[in-house]
Structures are given as structure tokens and as C-alpha cells.
Amino acid sequence: MAPFIRLNQVSKSFGPVRAVNAVDLEIDQGELFCLLGASGSGKTTLLRMLAGFERPDSGTVEIDGQDMAGVDPADRPVNIMFQNYALFPHYSVAKNIGYGLVRQGVSGQALQDRVDELLRMVRLEGYGSRKPHQLSGGQRQRVALARALARRPKLLLLDEPLAALDKKLREDTQFELVSLQEQLGTTFMVVTHDQEEAMVLADRIGVMDQGGLVQVDRPRTLYEKPVNKFIADFLGSVSFLDATIKSQKNDHVQLDMGGGVISALAEQTFDKGDDVTVAIRPEKITLSRKKTSGNCLKVTVEDIAYTGVATYYRVLTEQGQMLKIHQQNSPENAPLDWDETGYASFQAQHTIVLTG
Amino acid sequence: MFRRVPYPIIWLGILGFGILYIPIVLMMIYSFNDSKLVSVWAGFSTKWYLSLLNNDQLLAAVGKSLWVAVWAATISTFFGVLIALAFTRFGNFGGRLALSVMASAPLVMPEVVTGLSMLLLFIAMETFFGWPAGRGLDTIIIAHATFGMCFAAVVVQARLRQFDLAVEDAARDLGARQPQIFLTITLPMIAPSVIAAWLLAFTLSFDDLVIASFVSGPGSSTLPIVVFSKVRLGVTPEINAIATIMIVMVSICVIGGSLLMSKRNKHD
């Protein structure tokens, strides 16, 4: 089956700036896809090209098997929920939601029924006659969502859908959005700079940097098997250690840390003496006073932050490399003190060997 | 909580506003003077307002002024909106600087110069095209519209600059096209500033004397022209009365306009 949405070598420049650079992307029908990137990474330009507001310099955009070149935003089976919602301030909630339907020629009872249905869907029954400025931020967000879904788009683009909400509301809304998407089966594409939001929402995440798609994968794969340092660093917390390849046997490599030797798992093939970077997530490391078998590095505690559930350590290895450790405050983990020497141990499968 | 304003500043403010408004207030009070002499108070009376109603020349002038002001304001607003849209929406089009200079020059141009150049233009046009035949209300309307549209453009531009373009994108995304987007979204959203621009252009036209006296012809004397020519024969309280009515009208326009502008800003 052909993918529902296909971007083929899509590029777009603004003057000398290459905003989107040769992006290939395929999204399945009914998927909740997240485009994640810092500001200026090109994610908004990509979104605007899907909606039709920007024309790609080269490459093609296909939606449901149709080439979208030359199709006006008004005619695309795509709708956007805009950042800051872009509600029409002079129209009531019902007229905002009905705007797209009226353009389609829906009127009378059919229009009212559909608007009522949408109001019910976003739990805003009885708010139809209010003006947008009489609503709270969360309610406005739901009006924007209902308005964007009114025409039953094949693809709904959500531009930073939760950025304008406060933290508490954001968490609830995240789950609402996911369940709504599952219920409707519409393909959603969320654009966000918030990695946590992307992890919670998405079936798959595409991480963008400097106009290019760096990695597209499920959240877990992205977190545990990042393709390079950028991805590892962008998602969650991580420590990087410099090392040299000592030997490799299948996917087991021995790494020289300039003092100790650790073993790690790697899918790539290396030569002896290759310089690599080892990435380790702070929650995958155990810190104790006793030396253990397996990967174990002698470290000195530099800094401690107690957060209640866990203690965050920053420790230095004998080679002076910094390592972050998040340790649960459970009874078997005896806390270490400032400047105390301990052993940081971790399993080979929890290391990520990166070349870039 | 208001911040306390130092006393010297308060007194300076009172003095400044006093110089500006005490003469106007005095004139309004003296329009209710019973005496025929402007500077001697002889008791309260509304007889000058009543005598205005019987003064056909003045009433006709009011009618002409209103006619001119309504048309001039309407034409000014129409073109003012177009100019404002060009500046805020079309990016860096060719001739942008030229248009910007042309659209703002009448704001600072001495009225005498505007009036004289308009007069010369109309005479030249009459010579070459035979229109406008002579000078009358239509030439005043055209002259007022030419400078009124610059003021209208400034007012509307101020609103369009803070207009969130995403709202228009949203309309387009939902299936609307130009001019539908403009009529259903943009225009209603900038409507208060458009009305304010109309009121400003109306006010400017209604009380213009200099330009009107250049481009008016026989039988097209607007109210300021009539008042001014009467004053040369000596001020009567009747003039005070007509001036008071003008001030009230203009004030309503100005206050209405600024209320509309500030109301809009609160909603955004």
C-alpha cells in the first residue's frame, strides 16, 4: 500500500537560507506523527508546505496519492490548528467552527447539526454564542481544534497545539488529543519544539535540525538508539564519554577509556583505534561504594541535587569526563557525599556508541 | 493604583490645557449671550441659535459642508484602506518608497500649497478635458479626498500592522479565497479603524477653510468659508453659535473615533 502522505526530496529556501533541505518522509493513514525540532529547524516551513501556504522549490508533496503541486490551501484535504489558534475574534464560537463548512456550501439545519456535533466533541456545548475573547485558553484551544476538524480533513496539522496552555492543563490536553485522534482515525501531524510533548503524543517522531530530517522513529527507538550525538542530546538527558575502539566481536565492542576498559553494544563495524563517543542515559547508571563486575568506572562526586524521588549526581571519571547519574532514592541505594569516591556501573546494552 | 504625579507637572498641565480650551469654552458660553455685542455679557439666551435656523445662507452652507465632508470622507477612506493594504501586505514592491513619500507628503504640506496646486490642476484639466467644468462642490470633494486619504491611510495602517496574518491563513485554510477572506475576516476586524479613519477625514474636510477657498467656485461656499467672510464684517454671537455647533460635531467624531480604536485594541 502506498503511504498516505509522501514527501519526496522536498526543499525550500528563503533567500540564502535553506529552510527545508531534501526531506523524504512517509506517513501512514491514521498515524499521529510528531515533527520535533528547535525553532529555525524548518519544521514550520514543512508544515506550511503541507498546508499549501509555501510552495516547495523542488520535490513533491503527495497526500492520499494526489500530487499537491499547484493546489491552493483552500482546496487541500488538510486543515491546520494554528499556533495561538488564530480564531476569528469578531465571530462567535459557532460561527468560527462553521466557517469552513459555510465555504463548502453547508447551510441551514445541516450546518447547525454539524456545529453542535463538533461542540459536543470538544465538550463546549452551550458555548456556541460566546465570542473567543470570552473563553479561557483551554476553551479557545478546543474551539480551534473543532474548527480545524469541521471539514473532516484527511490530514490535520497541529502547530504547537499545547504551547499556549499552562503546564497542568497541558498534561490533560495531551491525553485528550491522543484519544480524540484514535477515535476519529484522522492522520495528525503535530509540530512541536517540546520533546516531552512529542514523546507523549506521537506514534512516530521525526527530528529536524537545520532543515533536514535527522531521524524518524518510534519514541522508544529514538531515545534508546539515537543515530548521532545531536539526537541523543536533544531527547532527554545524556552523558557523553570519549573512547577508542580496542576490539570488536560481532556487536560486542571493547572500548578503551584511557584507564578502564568497558564493553558496549554496537551495530556498526569499527576498526581498532577508531575514536568514538559513548552516550549513556543518567538513569541507566548505578552509583555505589562497592566495585562491581562488568562495566564499572571509578568516579568522584562533584555535585548532588536531591529531588525527593531521585538524587541527581554529577560525577567525574578518573580521566576528568563528566557523567550524569539519576539514582532512585530507594533503600538499597545508599547516598554518596560530596567529593566521595564511588563506582558508576552500567550494562553494555545500555550504552550507545556514536561516531558523529 | 495610580502613580502620584508631581505638583509642578499638574500645574503645567492645567496651564497648557487652559490656554488651549478656555477660549473655546468662553466662545461657547458667549454663544448663549443675550447681547448683540460679543464681549459684553447680558444674560442667557438661545436666540442666536434660533436666528441661525432662519439664516438661509448659513443653513445652506452647513448643508454643502456636510455633503462635501461625507463624500470626501468616503472617498478618502476607500483609497486610504487600499494604500494601507499596499504598505502592510505587498512587502517590498517596486515604487514602495515613492508611494510612501507621496502618501505622507500631504500630511506635512502647507495647505496653501495644496490648495494652490489643486486649483492649478483643475484649471489645467478643464482646459484639456473640459472637466471639471468650473469649480464647485465636486472640486472641493476631490481636493479634500486627496489629503484626507493620507490621514485615513495612516489610521488604517496602524491597525493593519498589528493584524495577525495567521487569521487570514486560517480562513484560507478553511476554504475561503480573496476577496471572500477580505470581506468576511479582514474588513470586519479592521472595521473600527476604518470608521475612525472616516470620522477623521470627515472632520478634516468639514472644518477646512484654506484648501476649500482655493478650489471653491461661485455658489459653493462651505460653512468655514461663509463664517470666515462673515467674521471680516465683525463677529456676531450668531458666529459663536455656529462655531459651537461645529465644535460639538467635530468632538463627537473625534471622541467616537478614538473610542472605536481603543475598544478594538482591548479585544485583541
Side-chain angles (χ1 to χ4, degrees):
Chain A
M1 198 184 84
F4 191 61
I5 288 149
R6 184 180 5 216
L7 303 180
N8 186 19
Q9 288 293 305
V10 172
S11 294
K12 174 79 186 174
S13 301
F14 296 106
V17 183
R18 210 162 174 82
V20 171
N21 194 5
V23 166
D24 284 311
L25 178 63
E26 295 185 349
I27 299 173
D28 290 330
Q29 184 158 20
E31 195 176 356
L32 207 170
F33 188 86
C34 256
L35 208 53
L36 177 64
S39 65
S41 60
K43 58 190 195 307
T44 302
T45 307
L46 203 59
L47 172 123
R48 289 178 66 82
M49 282 196 282
L50 276 164
F53 289 112
E54 304 288 352
R55 199 184 290 258
D57 294 338
S58 60
T60 55
V61 176
E62 273 174 44
I63 296 171
D64 201 9
Q66 267 186 301
D67 186 2
M68 285 289 132
V71 180
D72 193 87
D75 301 325
R76 294 196 180 199
V78 176
N79 283 122
I80 309 184
M81 191 184 122
F82 285 83
Q83 187 175 12
N84 301 322
Y85 319 137
L87 297 178
F88 308 134
H90 56 297
Y91 281 152
S92 65
V93 168
K95 277 197 145 185
N96 262 285
I97 295 174
Y99 189 85
L101 298 167
V102 173
R103 301 311 123 193
Q104 277 180 321
V106 183
S107 62
Q109 195 59 41
L111 173 67
Q112 205 182 328
D113 288 348
R114 177 73 178 134
V115 170
D116 285 345
E117 183 190 339
L118 287 156
L119 281 171
R120 248 194 325 279
M121 185 184 81
V122 295
R123 297 182 293 105
L124 283 173
E125 298 107 319
Y127 284 87
S129 58
R130 300 262 187 112
K131 287 281 185 72
H133 68 90
Q134 294 171 308
L135 302 178
S136 71
Q139 289 168 335
R140 260 182 252 181
Q141 191 255 10
R142 304 213 294 272
V143 175
L145 186 61
R147 185 179 71 175
L149 285 168
R151 288 159 67 98
R152 303 182 203 276
K154 288 179 178 170
L155 169 65
L156 180 70
L157 302 168
L158 302 99
D159 191 0
E160 304 277 0
L162 309 172
L165 304 177
D166 56 45
K167 195 169 163 26
K168 174 92 183 66
L169 195 57
R170 199 181 312 163
E171 283 169 11
D172 299 340
T173 314
Q174 274 174 352
F175 291 103
E176 273 179 27
L177 214 53
V178 172
S179 67
L180 185 71
Q181 192 269 339
E182 281 168 358
Q183 190 188 319
L184 293 170
T186 308
T187 311
F188 275 32
M189 180 158 148
V190 176
V191 168
T192 180
H193 69 277
D194 184 330
Q195 50 112 348
E196 199 185 318
E197 187 176 308
M199 299 284 254
V200 173
L201 290 173
D203 296 328
R204 281 193 309 153
I205 298 174
V207 184
M208 282 194 84
D209 184 41
Q210 292 171 10
L213 259 182
V214 185
Q215 187 174 4
V216 181
D217 256 314
R218 305 195 152 274
R220 177 180 287 270
T221 319
L222 221 46
Y223 188 75
E224 291 179 357
K225 296 243 181 309
V227 293
N228 60 22
K229 262 178 99 165
F230 170 77
I231 302 276
D233 201 25
F234 194 71
L235 288 162
S237 188
V238 73
S239 309
F240 294 112
L241 298 174
D242 295 329
T244 326
I245 301 285
K246 197 159 174 275
S247 66
Q248 180 168 24
K249 194 181 175 195
N250 299 328
D251 57 351
H252 274 80
V253 286
Q254 296 292 315
L255 298 164
D256 187 351
M257 304 287 298
V261 172
I262 61 168
S263 59
L265 291 182
E267 281 156 15
Q268 313 96 303
T269 316
F270 296 103
D271 288 327
K272 190 171 186 291
D274 281 353
D275 287 327
V276 293
T277 304
V278 184
I280 314 167
R281 299 285 179 193
E283 73 278 7
K284 303 276 164 73
I285 309 175
T286 326
L287 183 64
S288 67
R289 291 197 177 81
K290 286 192 297 279
K291 195 172 176 174
T292 55
S293 61
N295 289 332
C296 189
L297 296 171
K298 191 175 178 191
V299 294
T300 319
V301 177
E302 271 287 300
D303 218 341
I304 304 172
Y306 178 80
T307 66
V309 181
T311 305
Y312 293 180
Y313 294 95
R314 275 164 188 266
V315 300
L316 281 184
T317 64
E318 283 177 305
Q319 290 72 44
Q321 305 203 67
M322 208 267 293
L323 209 52
K324 286 181 263 187
I325 303 172
H326 295 178
Q327 184 133 295
Q328 294 291 314
N329 289 330
S330 51
E332 61 266 27
N333 291 331
L336 269 77
D337 226 330
W338 271 273
D339 296 328
E340 207 181 332
T341 305
Y343 293 92
S345 50
F346 46 90
Q347 293 174 0
Q349 75 236 38
H350 290 148
T351 58
I352 308 154
V353 182
L354 300 166
T355 45
Chain B
M1 272 291 281
F2 288 103
R3 216 158 57 90
R4 265 195 81 82
V5 182
Y7 279 114
I9 293 189
I10 291 178
W11 287 116
L12 213 61
I14 290 173
L15 182 74
F17 281 110
I19 291 170
L20 275 175
Y21 289 106
I22 286 172
I24 295 174
V25 173
L26 278 177
M27 186 205 69
M28 291 171 97
I29 292 169
Y30 273 95
S31 74
F32 294 101
N33 191 358
D34 202 19
S35 161
K36 208 174 166 57
L37 296 166
V38 173
S39 51
V40 181
W41 181 257
F44 181 85
S45 154
T46 54
K47 70 175 179 189
W48 301 112
Y49 288 89
L50 292 174
S51 88
L52 267 187
L53 287 178
N54 299 319
N55 189 331
D56 289 337
Q57 191 207 3
L58 270 180
L59 286 181
V62 170
K64 283 171 195 160
S65 267
L66 284 175
W67 172 260
V68 167
V70 166
W71 276 106
T74 308
I75 297 169
S76 297
T77 309
F78 179 77
F79 286 105
V81 169
L82 293 187
I83 294 170
L85 281 173
F87 279 130
T88 50
R89 294 301 164 79
F90 294 172
N92 246 337
F93 55 89
R96 186 190 166 99
L97 183 70
L99 182 61
S100 154
V101 170
M102 285 199 290
S104 55
L107 302 178
V108 290
M109 189 87 76
E111 287 192 318
V112 179
V113 175
T114 310
L116 182 61
S117 56
M118 279 288 167
L119 177 62
L120 294 176
L121 172 77
F122 290 138
I123 292 170
M125 279 171 71
E126 194 179 1
T127 315
F128 287 110
F129 315 116
W131 186 87
R135 277 154 304 284
L137 293 182
D138 47 358
T139 50
I140 306 179
I141 291 172
I142 295 170
H144 282 180
T146 50
F147 78 92
M149 74 172 84
C150 308
F151 287 90
V154 170
V155 172
V156 177
Q157 247 187 87
R159 172 73 188 105
L160 275 175
R161 272 191 211 293
Q162 40 163 309
F163 191 94
D164 182 10
L165 286 177
V167 178
E168 283 180 15
D169 280 350
R172 189 162 166 217
D173 184 57
L174 291 165
R177 288 164 196 281
Q178 295 295 8
Q180 222 173 20
I181 299 173
F182 182 76
L183 293 176
T184 59
I185 304 298
T186 318
L187 193 57
M189 281 178 71
I190 64 168
S193 74
V194 173
I195 296 168
W198 191 91
L199 290 173
L200 179 66
F202 178 89
T203 311
L204 288 170
S205 165
F206 191 74
D207 70 1
D208 169 71
L209 169 68
V210 180
I211 295 172
S213 26
F214 274 101
V215 296
S216 67
S220 63
S221 296
T222 56
L223 186 59
I225 296 177
V226 172
V227 170
F228 189 67
S229 55
K230 271 177 160 288
V231 168
R232 277 189 293 188
L233 305 172
V235 182
T236 67
E238 208 174 15
I239 300 289
N240 287 351
I242 193 83
T244 304
I245 292 173
M246 280 175 78
I247 286 168
V248 170
M249 277 185 63
V250 168
S251 307
I252 289 171
C253 286
V254 170
I255 293 169
S258 36
L259 278 181
L260 278 168
M261 286 300 275
S262 63
K263 180 178 163 234
R264 179 81 262 157
N265 288 338
K266 251 183 274 167
H267 280 207
D268 284 351

